[in-house]
Amino acid sequence: GRLGYAQGPVMFYVTGGAAWVNYEVSLSSGGVSVSDSTTQSAWTIGGGVEWMFLPHWSTKVEYLYVDTGDQDVSLFGITASGRAKDNIVRAGLNYHF
């Protein structure tokens, strides 16, 4: 979701929600490969600005931070712990019906 404040044709907003991250562990040796994967939920938060430059068109730029927290993935009974954190910048062009 997002929550914002519009000042004329410009809207500043904060956004947040859920995300999903796929972890994969692979091991290769002597031409043999094994792998295991798991999908974990994460949270995301960010903000952006959107500008309505024509009656039905807007453009936006936003930043998102994604964090899964600590997660475990096992391969042959050996558990590896990790945490995925990501910074995402997106630009968009929107048509409003």
Side-chain angles (χ1 to χ4, degrees):
R2 74 182 176 171
L3 178 65
Y5 173 76
Q7 179 66 38
V10 178
M11 180 176 73
F12 299 92
Y13 62 90
V14 294
T15 184
W20 288 266
V21 175
N22 185 50
Y23 287 96
E24 185 172 327
V25 176
S26 299
L27 176 64
S28 298
S29 180
V32 176
S33 296
V34 295
S35 65
D36 189 20
S37 66
T38 184
T39 300
Q40 299 292 332
S41 61
W43 57 270
T44 183
I45 192 163
V49 60
E50 186 166 349
W51 172 50
M52 184 78 85
F53 62 93
L54 288 173
H56 292 282
W57 289 93
S58 69
T59 186
K60 71 176 183 178
V61 175
E62 72 179 14
Y63 164 79
L64 296 170
Y65 175 76
V66 180
D67 191 339
T68 63
D70 292 328
Q71 303 295 332
D72 295 331
V73 178
S74 295
L75 186 60
F76 293 121
I78 299 171
T79 301
S81 183
R83 181 178 192 157
K85 297 185 233 179
D86 203 359
N87 295 284
I88 302 165
V89 176
R90 299 194 292 200
L93 180 65
N94 302 309
Y95 180 79
H96 301 264
F97 294 94

